[in-house]
Amino acid sequence: MKAAARLILIGVGIAVYLGLAVLGWGGFAAFFSHPALIALTVATFAISGVAFFAGGNISSGAREDRSNRWVLTAFGVIGLLNAYVPAYTDRKEFWTIDGDAVRWLGVVLYAAGGALRIWPVFVLGNRFSGLVAIQPGHTLVTSGIYRVVRHPSYLGLLINSLGWSPAFRSSVWRVVHSTPNPAAPRTYPGRGKIAARNVRSRV
């Protein structure tokens, strides 16, 4: 993806996500009256700024599991709800948890999850795709973060989204994130062949 297109995509994403949160909280003055929410905003810009330099793409590459594309729509809907609903329930004092400690815990989880989400993109570069697809020059990576976590990007996304809700003292996240992540496939096209080839190369 070209730099200009990536910058536009990131900018629109920030505007929509933070815009919905501000709308849910009732306006800019109310939203930015909380230090934790200011920190959440700073973390969002920081994560997005780093993501711009991480690389990656949204390409079907050499081979794609197209049956998994429905997840993009599902994640889009869940993302929009996750942006607005916790902020709204915080303002309405509905299903909230008392204490600013919860807000700051959410900010920490949000930032940590965002960092973990981006880490694999730096590792894979343009081989990283938002789609479940084998990219040109693809090899199975089993070192670094991939030695510890099989799907670090999905785990980072989960932690990142889990942190967003507590930042608004919302307990809605318990319901939203209680279902398994459908985007973390047990396999992907060609994984078995690549793994077997790597095993043979080590023998």
Side-chain angles (χ1 to χ4, degrees), residues 63 65 133-134 138 140 187-198:
R63 185 180 176 192
D65 181 7
I134 296 177
H138 178 90
L140 184 64
T187 185
Y188 55 80
R191 181 184 179 96
K193 295 180 180 179
I194 296 172
R197 186 169 64 248
N198 277 270

Side-chain angles (χ1 to χ4, degrees), residues 84-156:
Y84 178 82
V85 173
Y88 177 80
T89 57
D90 191 8
R91 175 164 62 94
K92 294 296 185 179
E93 296 286 343
F94 175 72
W95 269 10
T96 55
I97 304 171
D98 291 333
D100 276 348
V102 175
R103 292 191 190 277
W104 287 107
L105 175 61
V107 172
V108 171
L109 288 174
Y110 178 79
L116 182 58
R117 170 71 170 166
I118 297 171
W119 188 352
V121 185
F122 276 103
V123 173
L124 298 179
N126 287 331
R127 291 178 297 164
F128 184 95
S129 174
L131 304 175
V132 180
I134 296 177
Q135 301 298 313
H138 178 90
T139 57
L140 184 64
V141 178
T142 58
S143 59
I145 184 63
Y146 284 95
R147 182 183 294 274
V148 182
V149 183
R150 182 175 181 181
H151 297 293
S153 183
Y154 292 127
L155 178 61

Side-chain angles (χ1 to χ4, degrees), residues 164-183:
W164 178 268
S165 293
F168 294 95
R169 302 183 304 130
S170 175
S171 59
V172 175
W173 63 275
R174 295 178 180 178
V175 177
V176 174
H177 299 288
S178 62
T179 56
N181 182 358

